[in-house]
Amino acid sequence: MAKDNRDYSFFEGKIVPTDEAKVSVKTHALQYGTGCFGGIRGYWNSEKEQLYLFRLRDHYLRLMNSAKILMMKPRYSVDELMDITMDLVRKNQWKQGIYIRPFLYKNELSLSPRLHNVSDDITIYTLPLDDYLDVNKGLKCKISSWIRLSDKMIPTRAKASGGYLNSALAKSEALMEGFDEAIFLDDAGNISEGSAENIFIVRDNQLITPPLSASILEGITRRTIMDIGENEMGLKVIERDFNRTELYIADEVFFCGTGVQVAWIKEIDHRIIGQGVIGKVTKGIQDRYFKIVNGNDSAHESWLSPVYL
Ligand code: PMP
């Protein structure tokens, strides 16, 4: 917890104790899911006594794209949001792994599910977070009976609150059936993504991931992995459609995302993937990823925002 045991959030233009950051039950976003959000991690490096926020600017640039799709008019620029976030994290005095959740929401108290001429505001809160899914154990997954919502229906490129009902349906189904996570097909029957993470397969030393047109979120971790795979590991990186059975026969399969980080998948629909152990490409990516986000790879310092001066 925060050092002085108080938890602070950014709300209605100010940093306030989180228990004062409250909205009305009439709030538009609460009724209609007309919000969009981000999810940013901070990594505490105890040797350097530093907290690093990973790709902060890129997360806010994506939030601005989500806002545009939802016809919002954010009152702050990307630079201002970065400064506010740094101030908020400092105010909370976090010295451990954290998750930052900026949330843009339609705050009007009016009826009717529409996007235009509805006011919006932004709140930001933080919480301690270590692993979201176990990155070492090898996840057991199932292809969801729910289909990934299509960009023709609800924009998947926007990290829109309402769209997460789709994720919640798939995640609960998977967990309640004894799996760790769900994998969605898109509406054409190709692999799309997990409930809150992008997916990669490895075949013959090629790193393959569904294209942006497969109704996926434009993941920042996905982009990071494509970059290090191609530029540092000499892998051929391919964005292309593939279907369910190609997952079964892949050499390696892993999820990536801010929450999940890089987590290998051991089993899908009761088929063991590869040899049933973490693959060497996945392991190489995982090791590099953790080095980078923890501030132990000077080649990627530009992706990090150190919080403490
Ligand atoms: N897809 C979905 C649906 C997600 O919620 C997330 C988590 N933000 C991701 C993919 C991964 O995106 P990122 O790497 O930017 O966290």
Side-chain angles (χ1 to χ4, degrees):
M1 261 328 269
K3 257 202 187 144
D4 65 359
N5 282 330
R6 291 196 86 172
D7 179 41
Y8 296 93
S9 295
F10 183 76
F11 182 69
E12 295 186 340
K14 309 193 284 288
I15 292 178
V16 298
T18 299
D19 50 16
E20 290 172 22
K22 297 213 167 88
V23 297
S24 163
V25 290
K26 294 182 178 176
T27 302
H28 200 276
L30 200 55
Q31 310 294 322
Y32 302 117
T34 48
C36 57
F37 58 93
I40 305 156
R41 263 193 193 261
Y43 289 85
W44 174 245
N45 184 320
S46 51
E47 265 162 44
K48 298 186 180 169
E49 294 260 300
Q50 187 55 274
L51 184 67
Y52 295 106
L53 308 189
F54 186 58
R55 300 192 76 161
L56 186 61
R57 177 175 296 280
D58 293 315
H59 278 282
Y60 277 120
L61 286 169
R62 183 176 68 194
L63 188 65
M64 289 302 181
N65 286 339
S66 296
K68 186 175 198 175
I69 294 169
L70 299 189
M71 301 177 118
M72 291 172 158
K73 296 189 181 69
R75 51 197 269 209
Y76 305 100
S77 67
V78 166
D79 283 304
E80 286 168 335
L81 288 170
M82 289 172 68
D83 288 345
I84 292 168
T85 303
M86 296 292 244
D87 287 346
L88 177 65
V89 174
R90 280 188 206 116
K91 176 80 181 168
N92 278 297
Q93 301 170 54
W94 290 118
K95 293 197 167 162
Q96 66 186 99
I98 58 162
Y99 188 75
I100 302 164
R101 168 56 54 83
F103 178 41
L104 266 162
Y105 60 104
K106 304 262 185 194
N107 63 349
E108 228 172 84
L109 308 183
S110 60
L111 285 180
S112 112
R114 64 186 196 284
L115 293 175
H116 68 291
N117 297 338
V118 190
S119 62
D120 55 76
D121 202 354
I122 184 163
T123 179
I124 309 174
Y125 63 88
T126 63
L127 47 104
L129 185 71
D130 292 319
D131 284 353
Y132 166 78
L133 285 173
D134 192 332
V135 297
N136 295 315
K137 82 163 197 175
L139 302 174
K140 225 174 117 184
C141 300
K142 70 165 272 171
I143 302 291
S144 185
S145 73
W146 296 95
I147 299 298
R148 185 70 183 135
L149 49 86
S150 159
D151 197 65
K152 290 178 287 198
M153 303 165 187
I154 290 181
T156 45
R157 179 170 279 102
K159 207 169 154 49
S161 312
Y164 277 81
L165 181 52
N166 185 226
S167 294
L169 287 162
K171 180 88 184 186
S172 284
E173 178 189 76
L175 292 179
M176 292 171 84
E177 290 178 13
F179 296 91
D180 300 305
E181 185 51 290
I183 299 170
F184 278 118
L185 300 179
D186 68 10
D187 64 346
N190 293 311
I191 299 296
S192 176
E193 60 180 345
S195 71
E197 50 280 310
N198 293 116
I199 194 165
F200 280 85
I201 63 174
V202 180
R203 292 195 73 186
D204 302 326
N205 261 343
Q206 296 181 336
L207 203 49
I208 306 165
T209 195
L212 296 177
S213 53
S215 292
I216 63 169
L217 183 74
E218 296 194 358
I220 288 160
T221 320
R222 173 183 180 274
R223 221 190 303 154
T224 303
I225 284 167
M226 291 168 73
D227 184 326
I228 57 182
E230 189 162 303
N231 297 320
E232 291 174 26
M233 297 174 70
L235 298 167
K236 191 160 178 212
V237 179
I238 303 168
E239 293 175 87
R240 70 160 168 84
D241 282 319
F242 53 92
N243 43 25
R244 171 181 199 150
T245 52
E246 197 170 353
L247 278 183
Y248 299 167
I249 61 152
D251 302 329
E252 304 177 30
V253 185
F254 65 90
F255 281 132
C256 72
T258 299
V260 74
Q261 307 176 106
V262 179
W264 70 283
I265 299 176
K266 182 175 186 174
E267 201 181 308
I268 300 171
D269 292 348
H270 309 288
R271 277 102 175 155
I272 296 287
I273 304 303
Q275 306 305 313
V277 293
I278 187 165
K280 72 173 186 341
V281 173
T282 308
K283 183 80 177 87
I285 288 173
Q286 209 184 51
D287 290 348
R288 278 180 176 76
Y289 184 76
F290 284 120
K291 227 171 127 186
I292 293 170
V293 294
N294 284 293
N296 293 322
D297 181 347
S298 55
H300 292 292
E301 271 168 8
S302 63
W303 282 341
L304 303 178
S305 303
V307 169
Y308 299 110
L309 304 170

